[in-house]
Amino acid sequence: MSGSKPDILWSPHHPDRYVICDSELGLYRIGPVGSAETKAGTLPLSEETAATLLAINSDTPYMKCVAWYPKHEPECLLAVGQANGRVVLTSLGQSHNSTCKELVGKEFVPKHARQCNTLAWNPVDSNLLAAGLDKHRADFSVLIWDISSKFAPETSVAAEKIRLSSVDLDSSTVVTKPLYELGQNDACLSLCWLLRDPKLLLAGMHRNLAIFDLRNTSQKTFVNTKAIQGVTVDPHFHDRVASFFEGQVAIWDLRKFEKPVLTLTEQPKPLTKVAWCPTRTGLLATLTRDSNIIRLYDMQHTPTPIGDETEPTIIERSVQPCESQIGSFAWHPSSQNRMVVVSAANRVMTDFTVFERISLAWSSTTSLMWACGRHLYDCVEDSAEGIESMIEKDIATKMRQRAQSKYGHDTVQVWRNHLLAGGNDVQLKSLWFDLNFKRYHYMLKTGVMNFLSEGTAESRRCWTGSDRQTDVPRYHSEERCLALRLCGWISRGPDIDVETFLRSLEQEQEWERAAAVALFNLDIRRAIQILNKGATAEKGDLNLNVVAMALSGYTDEKSSLWREMCSSLRLQLKNPYLCIMFAFLTSEPGAYDGVLYESSVAVRDRVAFACMFLSDAQLPRYIDKLTNEMKEAGNLEGILLTGLTKDGVDLMESYVDRTGDVQTASFCMLKGSPGDVLKDPRVQSWIENYRNLLDAWRFWHKRAEFDIHRGKLDPSSKPLAQVFVSCNFCGKSISYSCSAMPHQGRGFSQYGVSGSPTKSKVTSCPGCRKPLPRCALCLMNMGTPVSNCPGTGKSDEKVGLTRENKLAQFNNWFTWCHNCRHGGHAGHMLNWFRDHTECPVSACTCKCMQLDTTGNLVPSDSS
């Protein structure tokens, strides 16, 4: 405006039009670049939009403030406040509306000339126009004009006639009598109508914010403050108001008008404008003097504030719409997060959209979503098959499914846990097979690598079922036999008999593995029989007959064509067990690298082979090397070698780092680890992470079952009592006093809340004999079973009597609110809060259940 920076006003009923207010009024229409609406000579606002000048109005000099008429008709009616205090109604463009012709040119003149600082149309009664003026002695500074009122009557005072006649104006268009006069002997710097009540006007006076009620103008509500400039009401929260003073913004709640509910960070330079975003809840934009940055404050309220002093969370950010200094800005009334800014010089305008912060959320059930503005996006792959395969491979999904199947909880048939995990993971199958050997737990805890010793007897055996009588050196000792049992090759007994193991492999249709084990036990005829059987079995491989035929031609002559062809062609076999069979037949005694380092062969089979064919000098070196490989790779089959020792923890750490499977790591370490291993920080971290994961899935029953399972296997993990019930009179712990009483059992049953009528009830403090508190609902003393409370039917009592004996039923537990200290029987409290939000005690307004963030959540699992 005259001698000041320009301002912008969006049309309240045309989303593509706005006015620039400076020394003159300019009406612009915004549209896409290259459209019919944007003609030659338009001003580019952005890469997509441009503005076209529609009209200019230079008839109102000395402008200080402008307000756009809020109704559709008259269409482009503007009120202009001038430096002499006059308010002039003007228009942009031609209007054929008779009402507009009557209003345009109308002037509203105060008694004493002083600057008009602000204007505001009433959003409901659009005939009311409020003007805020500077102070003039004992005159009023807030004048509310009725634009439909007639000109000044002829009976006006002479001084008024003289004052009006000094200007060349038609006296029929001048109004000198305002409808309301407010704010006597004060100055008004800003004002706005309150959206919650069109009769209330908020004004920023000289030293206070005042709320005027037009129904009773003799009284006002005010609060002393320096933040009196730029008062503006949040369009989404009508009780929230923003104002500023110099570089600081104050946020007010009109329901608690004594002080600001929030004061934003002070800016180094004075503020020139603040404005709420009309399309976004709680977003406030501020502009400082001589700046090219607009600072945004995103106010996020907590869902259920606990105290009166709770402040909203503020997220602060800055945007730079243009390079030059910004004179003013205005939010678009309907386009989301869109604004137009005008530079302080030359009226350079920019169309700018504030991009929303992206809030990313990855749920514990593998759903990925993010919010941007009013939109919520869900991450979806192009094909459904891609989603299913991706989710199937995700370890979180696997652990969730395993938890639902009670994976890890089978302590009787431990090996079955791999079936609960799906049964298709070779490493898990090997792990639970190892943990199943209860009889050899002392070996499992130390590992194969730690109990193999010297003193091995070497023997030479001939082939069974072959015409060749070549002796093959083998090694035998008690420790090696134990290792073979751990590997599953032989059962208990002094003899090395693998026939039982071979039958089990045939039953599982592992023909190649069974043939290899038979061959390693020097029974070539049995190996050929197995291969032939596998070829004729349902879904069998006919190529096994070819392999059997090749085996039948075995010869130990080093220069034979058979050995030469098998050595060169064995690597082309796809099955690793067929490959190592020919590697064994073509190797020299003691040089079995082709068998021992075939990574696709199960570790237990390689270890068993090594125990049979490697000497005391070779075996420890191989076991050490294989153990290190397993530890580095995090291969669970290596638990056979390390045991549940520190080396086992190192191996499990590599496994968890590779897969993230804290579930298996937790159950494995709890299953057979000694106490010092369980105290390892890594083990405790896996256990706690798994517990937290169950809680995140809302598997609270599963987490409780895991804690019980953990307590049985690791007694030191049982938590100490965290809550004690003490007497209000003597202060002694009721639980401690009751624990010394005979025939009371443990837990809450010692209070007589077990539900059994045969046990004595404890309804008073055992120390001072004072009665325990009463339940807020049934009014019976705590300690009285719910089944005995009034209003409980006989059917409920019978149900309670037929249940298994338990330490305490949850319905009878003591429960109370940590905020108001009221409570009662847990069952009664739960029933109450299903239908109510407030405390059941009269005159108590505490919303007990809402204080608990998980109080209204439903478990995802069920016991």
Side-chain angles (χ1 to χ4, degrees):
M1 283 156 269
S2 180
S4 63
K5 296 180 181 179
D7 199 4
I8 308 176
L9 292 176
W10 277 99
S11 170
H13 36 264
H14 287 291
D16 61 342
R17 297 186 183 184
Y18 61 90
V19 166
I20 298 292
C21 314
D22 198 349
S23 58
E24 58 186 10
L25 297 175
L27 176 63
Y28 293 86
R29 179 172 59 198
I30 189 172
V33 174
S35 65
E37 297 178 352
T38 56
K39 303 174 183 178
T42 56
L43 302 174
L45 303 185
S46 66
E47 294 181 358
E48 295 84 16
T49 57
T52 303
L53 179 62
L54 299 181
I56 295 178
N57 187 329
S58 304
D59 299 336
T60 51
Y62 310 112
M63 284 189 297
K64 290 298 179 182
C65 53
V66 180
W68 202 315
Y69 186 72
K71 301 293 184 178
H72 285 272
E73 293 293 340
E75 188 175 26
C76 292
L77 182 65
L78 299 173
V80 178
Q82 297 179 315
N84 57 5
R86 297 182 179 226
V87 178
V88 181
L89 298 183
T90 186
S91 178
L92 285 166
Q94 298 295 326
S95 176
H96 302 286
N97 187 289
S98 59
T99 305
C100 183
K101 291 180 180 179
E102 293 177 2
L103 294 176
V104 172
K106 203 168 189 177
E107 292 195 16
F108 304 90
V109 184
K111 291 180 181 179
H112 302 94
R114 55 262 171 80
Q115 180 172 298
C116 180
N117 297 315
T118 179
L119 293 171
W121 293 95
N122 190 302
V124 177
D125 188 355
S126 57
N127 285 333
L128 300 183
L129 175 63
L133 309 175
D134 278 346
K135 180 180 178 182
H136 186 277
R137 298 178 185 176
D139 199 1
F140 297 94
S141 61
V142 178
L143 305 179
I144 300 178
W145 303 96
D146 184 356
I147 65 171
S148 63
S149 63
K150 301 299 181 181
F151 54 87
E154 294 296 332
T155 57
S156 301
V157 294
E160 183 70 16
K161 290 182 178 179
I162 295 173
R163 184 170 60 87
L164 295 177
S165 62
S166 62
V167 182
D168 186 17
L169 288 173
D170 184 358
S171 60
S172 64
T173 63
V174 177
V175 178
T176 59
K177 181 64 177 176
L179 187 61
Y180 298 97
E181 295 178 309
L182 307 169
Q184 189 175 17
N185 195 24
D186 207 341
C188 178
L189 300 179
S190 62
L191 51 78
C192 65
W193 295 93
L194 298 185
L195 300 177
R196 67 177 185 179
D197 190 339
K199 295 295 183 180
L200 298 179
L201 179 68
L202 176 63
M205 309 305 288
H206 181 54
R207 294 186 181 277
N208 58 68
L209 287 178
I211 299 178
F212 298 100
D213 190 342
L214 301 188
R215 291 161 295 198
N216 185 4
T217 57
S218 61
Q219 295 183 356
K220 67 176 180 179
T221 303
F222 69 94
V223 58
N224 293 325
T225 179
K226 291 183 178 180
I228 57 174
Q229 296 175 297
V231 291
T232 176
V233 181
D234 187 346
H236 298 282
F237 184 13
H238 296 169
D239 287 315
R240 183 161 57 188
V241 175
S243 64
F244 67 89
F245 170 71
E246 292 187 350
Q248 197 165 55
V249 178
I251 307 297
W252 305 84
D253 189 335
L254 299 180
R255 299 167 300 180
K256 299 180 293 183
F257 203 43
E258 298 82 12
K259 61 179 181 179
V261 294
L262 186 65
T263 302
L264 303 183
T265 307
E266 187 172 1
Q267 303 300 318
K269 293 183 180 180
L271 292 160
T272 58
K273 186 171 184 177
V274 298
W276 295 99
C277 179
T279 60
R280 173 75 154 74
T281 305
L283 183 61
L284 182 70
T286 65
L287 175 66
T288 57
R289 187 175 62 194
D290 302 331
S291 173
N292 62 347
I293 290 176
I294 295 177
R295 196 172 298 273
L296 304 175
Y297 298 90
D298 192 357
M299 303 179 190
Q300 304 292 334
H301 279 272
T302 53
T304 52
I306 298 175
D308 293 336
E309 302 300 325
T310 302
E311 293 186 354
T313 303
I314 302 295
I315 300 175
E316 182 179 342
R317 56 188 292 217
S318 299
V319 294
Q320 185 177 354
C322 58
E323 296 294 335
S324 58
Q325 293 182 1
I326 299 174
S328 184
F329 70 92
W331 291 105
H332 193 282
S334 57
S335 295
Q336 188 173 358
N337 293 6
R338 181 183 177 188
M339 64 171 61
V340 169
V341 299
V342 59
S343 63
N346 302 326
R347 284 194 180 185
V348 177
M349 296 170 287
T350 304
D351 186 5
F352 180 74
T353 299
V354 179
F355 289 98
E356 284 282 0
R357 296 175 299 104
I358 296 179
S359 302
L360 184 66
W362 197 345
S363 76
S364 56
T365 56
T366 70
S367 297
L368 180 62
M369 304 188 75
W370 62 90
C372 185
R374 297 178 181 177
H375 302 285
L376 192 63
Y377 299 93
D378 188 5
C379 181
V380 178
E381 294 290 332
D382 293 337
S383 63
E385 296 179 1
I387 299 175
E388 293 178 0
S389 61
M390 201 167 136
I391 293 178
E392 185 179 350
K393 295 178 182 178
D394 184 72
I395 188 60
T397 304
K398 290 182 180 179
M399 288 192 291
R400 195 169 189 270
Q401 293 172 348
R402 293 170 186 173
Q404 290 175 316
S405 64
K406 294 191 175 182
Y407 168 72
H409 286 277
D410 195 333
T411 57
V412 179
Q413 292 179 302
V414 179
W415 62 271
R416 291 190 70 255
N417 285 298
H418 93 89
L419 297 177
L420 298 177
N424 53 1
D425 193 310
V426 176
Q427 292 192 33
L428 290 184
K429 182 178 181 180
S430 174
L431 173 68
W432 291 108
F433 183 88
D434 293 336
L435 297 178
N436 188 60
F437 276 86
K438 293 184 179 179
R439 186 177 183 85
Y440 307 111
H441 264 187
Y442 72 96
M443 295 167 55
L444 180 59
K445 292 180 181 180
T446 58
V448 171
M449 61 176 292
N450 294 318
F451 71 84
L452 289 175
S453 60
E454 297 183 359
T456 303
E458 180 181 351
S459 63
R460 305 184 75 86
R461 285 189 54 186
C462 298
W463 288 92
T464 302
S466 174
D467 297 335
R468 302 292 178 179
Q469 298 300 318
T470 306
D471 294 335
V472 180
R474 290 180 54 177
Y475 299 89
H476 176 75
S477 70
E478 185 177 351
E479 289 81 3
R480 294 190 184 220
C481 287
L482 290 176
L484 290 176
R485 290 175 190 169
L486 274 181
C487 293
W489 277 31
I490 62 174
S491 56
R492 287 181 293 175
D495 299 328
I496 300 178
D497 183 12
V498 296
E499 186 59 32
T500 304
F501 181 48
L502 293 178
R503 290 191 189 128
S504 66
L505 292 178
E506 288 179 321
Q507 188 174 1
E508 296 175 6
Q509 295 188 350
E510 297 185 40
W511 310 110
E512 295 87 351
R513 185 184 178 192
V517 174
L519 186 68
F520 296 154
N521 283 271
L522 307 181
D523 193 345
I524 194 170
R525 184 175 296 276
R526 183 76 171 94
I528 294 174
Q529 290 176 354
I530 293 172
L531 291 174
N532 290 330
K533 187 176 180 180
T536 58
E538 185 179 359
K539 297 182 180 179
D541 187 1
L542 296 177
N543 292 326
L544 294 181
N545 282 327
V546 179
V547 177
M549 184 172 59
L551 280 181
S552 63
Y554 164 67
T555 176
D556 58 347
E557 296 179 7
K558 297 182 180 179
S559 60
S560 65
L561 181 61
W562 183 92
R563 180 182 291 263
E564 181 182 346
M565 294 303 298
C566 288
S567 299
S568 61
L569 298 178
R570 68 178 182 85
L571 296 177
Q572 298 181 15
L573 296 172
K574 295 181 180 180
N575 189 282
Y577 282 96
L578 297 180
C579 184
I580 64 173
M581 288 170 63
F582 289 101
F584 173 65
L585 294 175
T586 58
S587 299
E588 295 296 327
Y592 299 112
D593 290 355
V595 179
L596 298 173
Y597 296 104
E598 178 57 61
S599 59
S600 300
V601 174
V603 171
R604 64 180 61 258
D605 293 334
R606 286 187 277 165
V607 171
F609 179 89
C611 289
M612 295 175 64
F613 293 101
L614 294 186
S615 64
D616 287 342
Q618 294 175 307
L619 183 58
R621 290 198 301 267
Y622 173 72
I623 294 296
D624 288 342
K625 184 176 182 180
L626 184 60
T627 300
N628 291 332
E629 290 179 1
M630 295 296 104
K631 287 167 61 176
E632 291 178 4
N635 192 327
L636 293 181
E637 294 183 77
I639 291 293
L640 173 71
L641 303 171
T642 63
L644 299 180
T645 60
K646 185 181 181 302
D647 290 324
V649 177
D650 294 339
L651 185 150
M652 191 61 71
E653 182 180 25
S654 299
Y655 171 75
V656 173
D657 291 342
R658 179 172 58 86
T659 65
D661 186 5
V662 294
Q663 182 184 47
T664 298
S666 301
F667 281 111
C668 175
M669 289 299 146
L670 286 173
K671 180 66 180 111
S673 296
D676 56 337
V677 174
L678 283 175
K679 294 178 182 178
D680 191 296
R682 294 171 292 179
V683 177
Q684 293 298 317
S685 175
W686 300 332
I687 293 174
E688 290 304 317
N689 282 330
Y690 180 55
R691 295 179 72 251
N692 294 336
L693 198 57
L694 291 174
D695 285 336
W697 290 329
R698 291 191 291 172
F699 283 4
W700 296 315
H701 296 117
K702 297 288 188 295
R703 198 257 303 147
E705 292 173 359
F706 175 76
D707 288 341
I708 295 172
H709 178 77
R710 178 187 179 188
K712 292 178 181 178
L713 300 177
D714 180 21
S716 63
S717 67
K718 291 184 178 180
L720 299 175
Q722 298 173 324
V723 178
F724 298 92
V725 181
S726 60
C727 178
N728 287 329
F729 299 97
C730 66
K732 292 182 180 180
S733 173
I734 297 176
S735 58
Y736 176 78
S737 302
C738 291
S739 63
M741 298 177 63
H743 311 297
Q744 291 298 319
R746 297 176 297 169
F748 280 91
S749 62
Q750 61 202 15
Y751 312 143
V753 294
S754 64
S756 174
T758 61
K759 292 188 177 182
S760 59
K761 297 177 294 183
V762 179
T763 59
S764 61
C765 172
C768 64
R769 311 308 300 173
K770 295 286 187 179
L772 296 180
R774 296 179 181 272
C775 174
L777 289 166
C778 69
L779 301 181
M780 300 292 289
N781 292 98
M782 296 303 297
T784 304
V786 172
S787 58
N788 292 345
C789 294
T792 305
K794 293 182 179 181
S795 59
D796 295 334
E797 188 173 351
K798 289 181 180 180
V799 170
L801 293 176
T802 57
R803 291 177 180 173
E804 296 180 0
N805 292 329
K806 297 182 179 180
L807 296 180
Q809 296 176 15
F810 179 75
N811 286 345
N812 300 325
W813 283 18
F814 288 25
T815 182
W816 62 92
C817 172
H818 285 223
N819 187 42
C820 66
R821 303 296 179 184
H822 298 142
H825 295 106
H828 291 166
M829 291 293 116
L830 288 175
N831 289 333
W832 171 266
F833 285 113
R834 285 192 183 102
D835 303 318
H836 305 82
T837 58
E838 289 189 351
C839 177
V841 176
S842 301
C844 181
T845 59
C846 177
K847 298 184 182 298
C848 308
M849 188 61 77
Q850 292 185 4
L851 301 180
D852 186 359
T853 56
T854 61
N856 296 321
L857 296 178
V858 179
S860 296
D861 60 344
S862 57
S863 295

